[in-house]
Amino acid sequence: MSNYSIKVEDLSKRYRIADTKQQRRTYRSLREDLVSAAGSILKRKSPKHDFWALKDVSFEVQPGEVVGVIGRNGAGKSTLLKILSRITDPTSGRVHLRGRVGSLLEVGTGFHPELTGRENIYLSGTVLGMTRAEIKRKFEEIVEFAGVEEFLETPVKRYSSGMSVRLGFAVAAHLEPEILIIDEVLAVGDAEFQKRCLGKMGEVAKSGRTVLFVSHNMAAVRRMCNAVAVINSGKMTHFGETQEAISKYLQSDRTAEDQASIDLIDYPHRYGNGNARFARAEYLSSHPHNCRFRTHDSIEILLCIDGSSSQSGHFSATCSSEDGTKVLHLSSFDDPDYQETVINEKTFVKITISALPLLPGHYSWSFGLHDISMMPTDVVMDILPFAILNDSTSRPFATSNRYGYCLTDSTWTVSQGETTVETD
């Protein structure tokens, strides 16, 4: 008998998707919505088609293993984790789990918004089957790790996204489940918190428990995981040694660099209060190589926002390398000519970068909309992948990002003998 902690056999998940032109439209007026609603009463139901979020997925995970799950956005990773966490039922196939499962899939998952932080800690432990004495023994560790001492008696609906994630991870990791399932929500935390989370996951694995870890941060996956599963369009295309799996994934993922725009209406990898949401993002610059540029090229990106936040907004753009390292951050705060504007029903923001300072490699963007208090309204992660091409003709030493990611102009002055270099 195999000593597995997780065993998945021919797992599939099907959704029925309405196939209507109306759903694919980004903006509609109130009049159009009313006409559509009235028309739906008189017309037959819209035709639907099958969408397989997962198809015939099989694998085994042993106790003490840390297994990464990687793939492009929409590949089926989150669906797999929801099934393993018993949030969603599969259409077919079987899942065998040995032991209690602790999971952190989305911001606030498993928390009751009206209960305080203290009450939610005890609620989560009870759901895991722990006694009150067991929870009490772990309580101080959870609170210290999450850093929410001052807000224990505050309803979690008033927590920021970062606070919710810190508390959610602390609860999931410290209540000693035999299987710990973590989705990409760690991207919400700051660098110090992410470092502590990775360290805690390592402790969990060393104690003989199992960790399933979904991430777009290839550096973290490479550091943490014994094995990696690659999912593409609902199918597992590879399961095996970490470096080999990452290489296969990165090679296949570069086909997305031909897509100069993305519809974000139903994009899942985001967080924020949702008062306004990014609806679309696209490159405006006309280049012969689609989403392939050269160091110091000028590029323009257009962001479309849907909804109203009733407050002034500030925007940010973060560029990450293909291994998840954040290499460039841009903010409307840094533009002296930026004028704060209240986000209304249709808002468009154009980002102009006069000289992109990146060295050859593969990158992607994350975009953020924050209110005046810097609370996130909407943050979308890992979109608009692009490549910086090798330009060895004009810059023979700037052919890769092996020694760094950015290139800026500099002047080098050499003197010899008694001569000194003058400074301003």
Side-chain angles (χ1 to χ4, degrees), residues 16-33:
R16 297 284 286 164
I17 306 296
D19 188 16
T20 66
K21 293 182 180 179
Q22 299 291 347
Q23 283 189 318
R24 292 190 291 269
R25 296 184 59 179
T26 303
Y27 299 110
R28 290 198 302 183
S29 67
L30 176 60
R31 179 181 178 183
E32 288 174 316
D33 284 333

Side-chain angles (χ1 to χ4, degrees), residues 67-68 225-230 236-246:
V67 174
C225 299
N226 310 109
V228 170
V230 182
M236 184 171 291
T237 58
H238 185 82
F239 185 87
E241 191 271 329
T242 299
Q243 187 54 51
E244 181 183 2
I246 290 176

Side-chain angles (χ1 to χ4, degrees), residues 102-133:
S103 61
L104 182 59
L105 305 186
E106 297 175 2
V107 175
T109 297
F111 288 159
H112 191 296
E114 300 295 335
L115 298 182
T116 66
R118 180 187 301 274
E119 292 166 336
N120 270 293
I121 292 173
Y122 278 94
L123 174 63
S124 298
T126 302
V127 170
L128 280 173
M130 301 180 71
T131 65
R132 188 173 183 83

Side-chain angles (χ1 to χ4, degrees), residues 325-390:
T325 302
K326 294 178 175 63
V327 298
L328 184 66
H329 182 75
L330 310 172
S331 171
S332 58
F333 274 112
D334 299 324
D335 180 3
D337 297 323
Y338 174 74
Q339 297 181 347
E340 290 188 5
T341 305
V342 174
I343 306 302
N344 58 33
E345 186 175 342
K346 295 182 180 180
T347 302
F348 300 88
V349 177
K350 185 172 72 171
I351 305 170
T352 302
I353 305 173
S354 57
L356 194 62
L358 298 175
L359 287 167
H362 300 269
Y363 305 90
S364 64
W365 293 100
S366 297
F367 299 104
L369 166 60
H370 297 77
D371 62 23
I372 54 176
S373 62
M374 291 310 295
M375 294 292 288
T377 302
D378 192 29
V379 178
V380 292
M381 299 175 285
D382 299 305
I383 63 173
L384 293 184
F386 68 99
I388 299 295
L389 302 177
N390 189 329

Side-chain angles (χ1 to χ4, degrees), residues 70-72 216 218 230 245-253:
I70 61 177
R72 292 176 59 184
H216 288 278
M218 295 302 109
V230 182
I246 290 176
S247 297
K248 287 181 179 294
Y249 163 64
L250 293 177
Q251 191 62 40
S252 64
D253 191 50

Side-chain angles (χ1 to χ4, degrees), residues 1 8 22 51 53 63 88 140 262 286 290 312 374 377 387 419:
M1 186 175 180
V8 175
Q22 299 291 347
F51 171 73
T88 300
E140 294 302 326
I262 180 172
S286 56
N290 293 320
S312 299
M374 291 310 295
T377 302
T419 306

